[in-house]
Amino acid sequence: MSTQINLQVNGEHRSFSQEMFLPELLQELGFNQRLIAVEYNGEILHRQFWLKTQIKNGDRLEIVTIVGGG
């Protein structure tokens, strides 16, 4: 039985070997979690919910990196 899941991340289709919680996915994708904002299935996901958000097959994520400047 395959547990592979398919997601859309920043408009790109991606496959992963299993369901996981959002922080695990962000780490696997190489994002610095302190410098990003996440939209999950069309809704901005407040950071306090990241640990409880399990990523499942068919989910859509938009991950935006925060850039400072002057």
Side-chain angles (χ1 to χ4, degrees):
M1 182 167 91
S2 174
T3 58
Q4 181 171 328
I5 62 170
N6 296 299
L7 310 174
Q8 185 174 335
V9 180
N10 292 346
E12 180 181 321
H13 293 280
R14 304 281 305 260
S15 295
F16 297 90
S17 60
Q18 62 186 4
E19 290 183 354
M20 63 189 85
F21 287 93
L22 181 58
E24 296 171 88
L25 176 69
L26 296 172
Q27 183 176 1
E28 187 166 325
L29 293 171
F31 286 101
N32 180 340
Q33 295 179 34
R34 294 179 47 217
L35 301 175
I36 61 172
V38 176
E39 181 182 286
Y40 176 70
N41 293 329
E43 301 285 332
I44 298 294
L45 187 62
H46 193 280
R47 194 173 298 271
Q48 71 185 19
F49 299 113
W50 288 12
L51 289 173
K52 299 176 186 176
T53 302
Q54 186 166 15
I55 305 302
K56 299 174 290 303
N57 190 48
D59 283 345
R60 296 180 336 267
L61 294 128
E62 291 293 327
I63 304 167
V64 179
T65 301
I66 299 166
V67 178

